[in-house]
Amino acid sequence: MRVDGHLELVSQIKRSLSSENTFFFEDLTDRAGSLIGTEHEPLARVLYIFCNGTFRDYAENREQLPELSVAEVTKLRILTILRMSVNQRILKYGDMLAETGLGSTRELEHIIIQSTQCGLLECRVDEARQEVFVNQNEWLPFHVGTVRLLFEVVTELV
């Protein structure tokens, strides 16, 4: 990919990460591999974390990665909770606090509210038991690997 192609891709990644309404990045991840080995590799790694990781992954590697804005940190925390809800229908506050890096249940509940307001998560919060009961996760009905496998099967059938 040419340098100007890299710059366009970098611009698209930055816009997607900062956009409050963008939660799907697969179209960019397929192309972000071209940034590995360039000065933009840290941005490609952040994109990978947004697609597949958690806030904890970002926090553990923060020194090697670009700084995130407040909105980007919030989005990554929302994505972290959504990822947790894919495999678990009951989420414990302690687990979510650890994965999101939040310091209080109030902050956590604010992120949960944002997830539901975005229409990404349908849940019931039990503050007394400090648990979230996930009814539906609109964000990821299938794991990305499952979607790719289904696509391959359908492609073979056609």
Side-chain angles (χ1 to χ4, degrees):
M1 183 178 279
R2 296 186 337 244
V3 171
D4 57 344
H6 281 161
L7 295 178
E8 177 60 28
L9 178 57
V10 165
S11 176
Q12 289 173 354
I13 291 170
K14 288 180 179 180
R15 280 193 312 270
S16 293
L17 294 179
S18 64
S19 170
E20 66 181 51
N21 297 318
T22 303
F23 289 91
F24 298 97
F25 308 99
E26 190 163 301
D27 59 321
L28 293 173
T29 58
D30 292 339
R31 296 183 290 143
S34 67
L35 299 177
I36 302 301
T38 72
E39 65 186 281
H40 304 293
E41 182 173 338
L43 183 62
R45 295 195 183 285
V46 167
L47 177 65
Y48 179 80
I49 290 171
F50 270 73
C51 293
N52 302 297
T54 65
F55 180 81
R56 180 187 284 193
D57 297 326
Y58 174 78
E60 290 173 353
N61 296 288
R62 184 175 278 152
E63 299 80 35
Q64 297 89 28
L65 300 171
E67 187 174 339
L68 299 179
S69 69
V70 172
E72 291 167 338
V73 167
T74 299
K75 181 190 283 192
L76 185 53
R77 287 177 166 148
I78 289 171
L79 290 168
T80 297
I81 290 173
L82 294 174
R83 274 196 193 82
M84 293 176 73
S85 72
V86 169
N87 297 318
Q88 302 172 35
R89 291 296 177 210
I90 300 174
L91 303 174
K92 306 244 182 250
Y93 274 35
D95 296 337
M96 289 186 289
L97 286 168
E99 287 299 318
T100 60
L102 292 167
S104 72
T105 57
R106 184 175 182 182
E107 291 173 313
L108 176 62
E109 288 168 351
H110 183 70
I111 295 292
I112 294 166
I113 290 168
Q114 287 180 302
S115 300
T116 60
Q117 287 176 338
C118 291
L120 299 170
L121 184 66
E122 184 181 309
C123 64
R124 182 176 53 85
V125 176
D126 185 338
E127 293 176 35
R129 293 178 61 173
Q130 295 197 334
E131 294 177 333
V132 173
F133 299 91
V134 178
N135 299 327
Q136 191 169 359
N137 178 337
E138 292 295 334
W139 174 73
L140 190 59
F142 296 102
H143 184 274
V144 173
T146 305
V147 172
R148 285 189 179 140
L149 178 62
L150 288 172
F151 179 75
E152 290 172 13
V153 169
V154 169
T155 303
E156 287 178 19
L157 293 174
V158 175

